[in-house]
Amino acid sequence: MPKGYVIARAIVTNASQWALYAAEASKAMHQYGGKPLARGGQMTVAEGEGRARNVIIEFESLDAAKAYAFSPEYAAARKLREGAGEIDIVCVEGL
């Protein structure tokens, strides 16, 4: 079965508030079996619009990635992020 991935691209405008969200989202990620492959760090825009914060989380399947992204635990974390920046998140099936 192919792995599943949650890919997020973010602009953080309130770092202290974002940190509260990130801590709770990380707890939910571990609860749903997620493994962070990239979380912030250096990046270079090769093409198109880039965002400073990029996250890739690997899960055992697309269903597991979606379970995390739509979980009540992640929803609670997401509320902590309100007003702290902008984010795009997708769930993607691997090869």
Side-chain angles (χ1 to χ4, degrees), residues 37-60:
L37 300 180
R39 196 178 334 187
Q42 293 185 34
M43 64 79 111
T44 300
V45 177
E47 198 170 322
E49 179 185 335
R51 292 197 173 179
R53 181 116 174 118
N54 299 281
V55 176
I56 303 170
I57 306 169
E58 182 180 75
F59 291 86
E60 285 302 311

Side-chain angles (χ1 to χ4, degrees), residues 20-90:
L20 298 173
Y21 151 73
E24 291 303 309
S26 184
K27 289 178 190 174
M29 174 192 66
H30 289 296
Q31 182 178 344
Y32 284 84
K35 176 184 172 187
L37 300 180
R39 196 178 334 187
Q42 293 185 34
M43 64 79 111
T44 300
V45 177
E47 198 170 322
E49 179 185 335
R51 292 197 173 179
R53 181 116 174 118
N54 299 281
V55 176
I56 303 170
I57 306 169
E58 182 180 75
F59 291 86
E60 285 302 311
S61 66
L62 179 58
D63 286 342
K66 291 191 295 186
Y68 159 75
F70 296 106
S71 71
E73 295 85 1
Y74 184 75
R78 189 172 55 235
K79 286 184 181 191
L80 297 172
R81 188 188 69 224
E82 290 177 7
E86 298 175 27
I87 193 168
D88 294 321
I89 300 174
V90 297

